[in-house]
Amino acid sequence: MCGITGYTGINQAGPILLEGLRRLEYRGYDSAGIAIQSEKSAETENGSAPASSIKMLKATGKVSHLVEKFEAEPDFKGVCGIGHTRWATHGIPSDTNAHPHLSADGKFAVVHNGIIENFAEIRAELQKYGIEFKSETDTEVIVQLLAYNYKGNFKKALMKTIARLTGSYAIGVISDEYPGTIFAAKQASPLIIGVGIGENYFASDITALVSNTKNVIDLDDGEVAEITPDEVKVFDHTGKEIDKEIRHINWDIASAEKSGYEHFMMKEIMEQPQALKATIEPRIKCETLNCGDTDLSIVFDEIKGLDMKKFNRVHITACGSAYHAGCVGRSIIESLCKIQVEAEVASELRYRDPVMDDKTLVIVISQSGETADTIAAMKECKYKGATVLAIVNVVGSSIAKLADHCIYTWAGPEIAVATTKGYTTQVAVLAMFAVWAAGELKTISHGAYTSLILDIMHLPERAQRALDLNTKVKKMADKYYDNQSLFFIGRNMDYAVALEGSLKLKEISYLHSEAYAAGELKHGTIALIEPGRLVVALCCYEKLFEKTVSNIQQVKARGAEVLAVAHEGNRSIFQEADDVLLVPQTDALLVPVIEIIPLQLFAYYVAKKNGCDIDKPKNLAKSVTVE
Ligand code: AGP
């Protein structure tokens, strides 16, 4: 939610900031802006001292609008600046509310990601001192308070200012009195510093920096960084300088590019076999025994200290698609480990006062590792004594750091707002975790253990075969794209996939879509079925296939058209559905990894046919760092 970036060095900051914002745009795209410490020679026509050397450019809408403005301003020059792309929380998307925000005296400019919860109180206080506010944002209080606190020492003023803020923030600040210096600070919102040679950067995440540097410093909560072209100094909340490690990122630039695809979403859908391989392979151990047989096992080096015997229940929590992965995880863990498992959306769990204690294992799932509701829920669970295991994609993210144990999905950077490889790798990790835990708890036979591992190892290749449905799915999308209201139905694992398939479709195509447990339709929702309605029936969970077929017949009897997804080899489905997509067979517990793939493609092509902005759907942002 909102992307921020900054640059200080010897090159022109404008193009670097705009490129960073372009890469961060998936975090928010209703307006964008940059502020630059302008070059002295360009400041005034008559040579007298300017009121401020900070120049700003802002534009409502996408970063491309800002680029157009920038290109029309040849004098917008300077080697140090900050930039922001916004997802509006306080105030409508407009040039005035766009960041950066400038202090009333014009000496400081700030970009901010997060929410200042006590902004109204600070604003009222500053207004009493005669300070005028220009925007409706919470952010403007940061820069006005900073200017108010400034008595000749930038760092001191900033530390005093952030000590007053409650809520979440990642900020970058420049002042016209400190050429070449950027201060950055963070609390509960992501911020990393990029370390270059003779130039340094900061950004909300690595995608903005990866084309410039792969060496980063993770700023932790409460820390402040002073960034100049030649040096990065980091201070703790008391102002004491601290040593920070430089982390080397192994993402290549192609990870942050579309690599020939029209959209990141399609690129990421197609990357799933590789992402699954990267997630699965390092955790499978294959030993050759003396007798010549091979012995397969799952090894999680990262959770060696986790004693499953300690827990009498598991609670899974997450948001959106990660929650849907959690619903799959609930069934797999319960089925294999014979332990009680619940799954709940984090925004509910955090306020529900759940019953848990030190015998509870909480699994939190998050692609970004920065989702505000998930962080709050995990803190609540930790407070109640639970052990928290996180399943996260972004290395070094807040959730990864806060958890007691962390398993990374190795999906690589996910840029499209609609998650695809993030979701499938989460399900793969949950499946591997369940098999591993069942092995620890001895609730699984050796045969079942080995057979499941073999099926897990086949997931990348089966995902590849599911992707071969691409052309056929496109035809389905061409046929059904103008259905204004759709239903996804399924039972057990298929129901969990229905939830995700439906979310995928609605978030990028804006069509009304609902997921229902197939048996539940008749309890009310079937009233909405009328001739021509599309019902997507998920039929891969074979134990309950006949039951789902009954539900298909019920909706068909009311005129619905049915598009079914079933396993290869299922011939009877052709008698029931109008259209059928067949996916490779896999173990019942692993069905979601394969079955979701045609639904991702379906959502993509329906959205494309409807002319939607697939990578940047309206009202959404990739990383939801606000409540
Ligand atoms: C999925 O396509 C969504 N955009 C969204 O539901 C997402 O899964 C959710 O916001 C959770 O994000 P996280 O995995 O980064 O925590």
Side-chain angles (χ1 to χ4, degrees):
M1 228 130 254
C2 298
I4 62 172
T5 189
Y7 170 81
T8 178
I10 44 163
N11 292 306
Q12 283 302 311
I16 295 171
L17 294 173
L18 290 169
E19 176 59 13
L21 291 183
R22 192 182 64 77
R23 291 181 193 279
L24 288 172
E25 203 174 11
Y26 72 95
R27 302 179 67 91
Y29 32 84
D30 58 46
S31 57
I34 52 177
I36 288 181
Q37 292 169 339
S38 65
E39 286 166 2
K40 291 286 174 196
S41 57
E43 280 166 8
T44 58
E45 277 165 18
N46 60 11
S48 62
S52 166
S53 70
I54 295 179
K55 283 191 175 182
M56 287 209 295
L57 266 188
K58 296 181 182 190
T60 309
K62 299 199 168 140
V63 172
S64 56
H65 297 172
L66 183 64
V67 172
E68 279 165 26
K69 278 195 173 175
F70 177 77
E71 282 167 356
E73 295 263 351
D75 288 341
F76 199 87
K77 289 207 166 122
V79 292
C80 175
I82 52 180
H84 186 273
T85 178
R86 180 169 185 245
W87 188 87
T89 57
H90 297 68
I92 55 158
S94 66
D95 283 14
T96 316
N97 288 331
H99 301 211
H101 291 285
L102 204 58
S103 56
D105 62 8
K107 285 182 183 302
F108 298 92
V110 69
V111 287
H112 166 224
N113 168 31
I115 287 189
I116 305 304
E117 285 165 3
N118 57 344
F119 84 99
E121 167 197 321
I122 300 173
R123 186 179 170 116
E125 199 177 302
L126 292 171
Q127 279 169 332
K128 272 196 219 144
Y129 303 132
I131 295 166
E132 276 180 34
F133 282 76
K134 289 198 174 68
S135 76
E136 302 159 86
T137 65
D138 54 334
T139 301
E140 196 181 343
V141 301
I142 304 173
V143 74
Q144 302 291 18
L145 184 61
L146 174 67
Y148 178 78
N149 286 335
Y150 182 67
K151 306 278 180 281
N153 183 324
F154 192 178
K155 186 182 122 203
K156 235 184 182 172
L158 180 64
M159 304 228 41
K160 190 169 175 194
T161 301
I162 58 174
R164 182 72 205 282
L165 306 176
T166 60
S168 57
Y169 56 81
I171 54 175
V173 199
I174 52 172
S175 163
D176 72 341
E177 293 193 11
Y178 295 80
T181 301
I182 303 174
F183 274 96
K186 103 163 204 87
Q187 182 65 44
S189 292
L191 196 149
I192 54 168
I193 295 160
V195 182
I197 299 167
E199 50 191 358
N200 289 311
Y201 314 77
F202 78 83
S204 300
D205 65 50
I206 187 64
T207 47
L209 306 182
V210 75
S211 57
N212 300 313
T213 179
K214 289 185 184 167
N215 294 323
V216 301
I217 295 172
D218 297 304
L219 207 62
D220 286 312
D221 283 353
E223 293 175 351
V224 169
E226 182 179 356
I227 308 165
T228 58
D230 299 313
E231 206 176 17
V232 176
K233 288 184 184 169
V234 179
F235 307 93
D236 70 10
H237 70 283
T238 65
K240 192 174 124 228
E241 191 172 345
I242 48 176
D243 279 339
K244 295 286 286 187
E245 245 176 57
I246 295 183
R247 178 163 67 92
H248 187 75
I249 304 284
N250 53 15
W251 290 4
D252 57 10
I253 183 68
S255 320
E257 296 285 356
K258 287 188 205 152
S259 309
Y261 286 95
E262 192 179 345
H263 297 101
F264 279 110
M265 183 178 176
M266 183 51 93
K267 176 185 175 235
E268 289 158 8
I269 289 174
M270 292 298 167
E271 282 172 350
Q272 288 179 106
Q274 183 47 43
L276 285 164
K277 199 167 181 258
T279 301
I280 294 167
E281 268 186 4
R283 280 127 181 179
I284 308 280
K285 199 167 137 207
C286 182
E287 258 180 319
T288 309
L289 305 174
N290 290 339
C291 59
D293 288 354
T294 48
D295 197 33
L296 291 171
S297 57
I298 290 186
V299 181
F300 280 116
D301 288 333
E302 54 273 69
I303 53 170
K304 271 194 176 137
L306 186 67
D307 177 11
M308 282 306 292
K309 295 183 195 83
K310 190 178 142 189
F311 306 112
N312 60 15
R313 76 162 93 170
V314 177
H315 212 111
I316 302 178
T317 191
C319 300
S321 296
Y323 165 70
H324 298 156
C327 293
V328 176
R330 171 181 53 201
S331 297
I332 313 179
I333 298 169
E334 214 159 45
S335 156
L336 295 181
C337 302
K338 311 296 173 214
I339 188 170
Q340 186 195 337
V341 190
E342 283 175 54
E344 189 173 6
V345 287
S347 55
E348 286 296 311
L349 178 75
R350 65 184 288 190
Y351 294 118
R352 205 176 50 81
D353 194 16
V355 176
M356 52 179 67
D357 55 24
D358 60 353
K359 293 194 180 62
T360 311
L361 173 67
V362 171
I363 302 180
V364 298
I365 309 167
S366 175
Q367 187 286 128
S368 64
E370 301 294 347
T371 303
D373 284 322
T374 310
I375 293 175
M378 80 186 276
K379 284 184 177 163
E380 175 67 17
C381 298
K382 279 189 91 162
Y383 174 74
K384 286 180 178 282
T387 299
V388 174
L389 165 66
I391 297 174
V392 174
N393 191 41
V394 177
V395 176
S397 55
S398 303
I399 292 178
K401 283 184 191 157
L402 280 167
D404 300 302
H405 305 271
C406 179
I407 302 176
Y408 284 113
T409 50
W410 297 116
E414 194 180 59
I415 313 284
V417 167
T419 182
T420 51
K421 60 178 182 169
Y423 168 85
T424 43
T425 52
Q426 284 162 356
V427 175
V429 165
L430 284 159
M432 281 191 290
F433 172 77
V435 176
W436 170 83
E440 296 286 299
L441 295 168
K442 307 209 182 330
T443 52
I444 190 169
S445 69
H446 187 259
Y449 179 83
T450 307
S451 150
L452 266 163
I453 296 177
L454 278 170
D455 265 310
I456 290 171
M457 289 166 75
H458 278 115
L459 283 174
E461 160 235 319
R462 288 174 184 158
Q464 187 61 58
R465 285 206 285 125
L467 286 170
D468 294 343
L469 286 165
N470 194 11
T471 316
K472 185 151 191 212
V473 177
K474 185 171 180 306
K475 280 194 192 136
M476 297 293 109
D478 288 346
K479 179 172 173 188
Y480 292 116
Y481 77 98
D482 58 353
N483 242 272
Q484 288 308 304
S485 183
L486 294 85
F487 293 88
F488 286 72
I489 61 168
R491 288 169 180 263
N492 195 295
M493 287 295 186
D494 286 331
Y495 172 50
V497 178
L499 290 167
E500 176 59 6
S502 171
L503 176 64
K504 217 76 307 170
L505 184 76
K506 75 182 113 187
E507 72 179 323
I508 58 167
S509 72
Y510 320 141
L511 297 180
H512 170 249
S513 151
E514 286 189 48
Y516 267 88
E520 189 62 16
L521 267 190
K522 58 186 177 290
H523 296 291
T525 311
I526 203 160
L528 298 173
I529 300 295
E530 54 186 46
R533 272 280 173 274
L534 178 63
V535 175
V536 180
L538 301 172
C539 305
C540 288
Y541 193 70
E542 277 162 7
K543 262 195 209 163
L544 297 174
F545 175 66
E546 297 305 332
K547 303 283 174 199
T548 307
V549 165
S550 306
N551 303 124
I552 291 177
Q553 288 164 352
Q554 288 157 8
V555 294
K556 279 207 69 75
R558 284 152 184 89
E561 290 192 75
V562 173
L563 166 62
V565 183
H567 272 152
E568 283 168 0
N570 184 336
R571 303 323 300 170
S572 53
I573 189 65
F574 286 92
Q575 276 125 52
E576 309 297 339
D578 298 280
D579 288 293
V580 176
L581 294 166
L582 293 179
V583 294
Q585 186 99 33
T586 186
D587 187 282
L589 297 177
L590 306 174
V591 154
V593 176
I594 305 303
E595 194 178 29
I596 192 61
I597 289 174
L599 303 187
Q600 296 167 341
L601 290 166
F602 184 69
Y604 175 87
Y605 286 119
V606 167
K608 191 165 175 212
K609 188 89 183 156
N610 282 303
C612 302
D613 191 344
I614 291 175
D615 283 341
K616 300 185 190 86
K618 71 173 183 221
N619 305 338
L620 296 180
K622 179 71 177 165
S623 179
V624 187
T625 52
V626 297
E627 188 174 346

